[in-house]
Amino acid sequence: MPFTDVRPLALDLTKARKLAKQGNIDLFAGQDEPGETVSLRGEITDANCFLGSHIHAYDHAFCAKVCAAAGGPIVFIPDQGGGIYLVISERNGIRLPENILDRIGVPGIIVRGKVVNADGMRALAIEGLAP
C-alpha cells in the first residue's frame, strides 16, 4: 500500500486495525512503549542539523520545526549525562503532543517519558512536559 494511502490511517486507528486484521498483519499502533520512566531536562531539536553540525537552540528553532513538520527525525539533548536520545511518542502510531512540538528548539525544558534501549540505540518515548 502506498505511503500516501497509509498516512490518513494514522488518524483513524480503528480503520487501520480493521485493515491489518483483514490482511493478518500485526499492528502495534496505539500500544504503549516499554521502558523506565524518567524526567529529563534538555532540548528537543531536529536530528539532521544536530547530527550534521551540532546546530540547535533558539537560533535554530524555526528551522528545526520546519524539518520536524516535514517528517524529519527529532532528538532530545539532555542537559546532563551526555549522549542524545531519538524522540518517539509514548504510544506507537500516535503524534507527539502539540505542547512538546511547540518547544522544539527551546533549551531547558523538562520532559516526562520512558527510556527505551534497543540494539544500542537509545530513545526517549515522550509522554509530556513534566510539572
Side-chain angles (χ1 to χ4, degrees):
M1 178 180 273
F3 184 77
T4 55
D5 292 347
V6 173
R7 185 179 308 193
L9 295 174
L11 300 174
D12 189 349
L13 289 182
T14 301
K15 186 174 182 180
R17 284 187 188 98
K18 183 179 176 182
L19 286 172
K21 187 174 182 178
Q22 289 173 352
N24 197 29
I25 299 168
D26 290 331
L27 182 66
F28 298 104
Q31 292 184 3
D32 290 338
E33 288 291 340
E36 173 192 349
T37 301
V38 297
S39 288
L40 296 173
R41 179 184 166 100
E43 178 190 343
I44 298 169
T45 193
D46 74 297
N48 290 0
C49 289
F50 181 77
L51 295 174
S53 59
H54 285 80
I55 295 173
H56 64 99
Y58 291 119
D59 292 341
H60 183 66
F62 178 72
C63 180
K65 287 178 183 176
V66 169
C67 288
I74 56 178
V75 293
F76 183 82
I77 309 162
D79 285 353
Q80 297 179 1
I84 63 170
Y85 297 86
L86 174 67
V87 172
I88 58 177
S89 62
E90 69 174 314
R91 293 174 46 217
N92 292 333
I94 306 297
R95 275 184 58 133
L96 288 168
E98 287 297 319
N99 65 347
I100 294 296
L101 296 171
D102 286 343
R103 297 214 175 44
I104 290 174
V106 177
I109 65 168
I110 302 173
V111 296
R112 183 183 66 253
K114 294 179 182 175
V115 172
V116 180
N117 290 299
D119 298 326
M121 179 176 279
R122 190 168 66 161
L124 180 60
I126 295 180
E127 297 170 4
L129 295 171

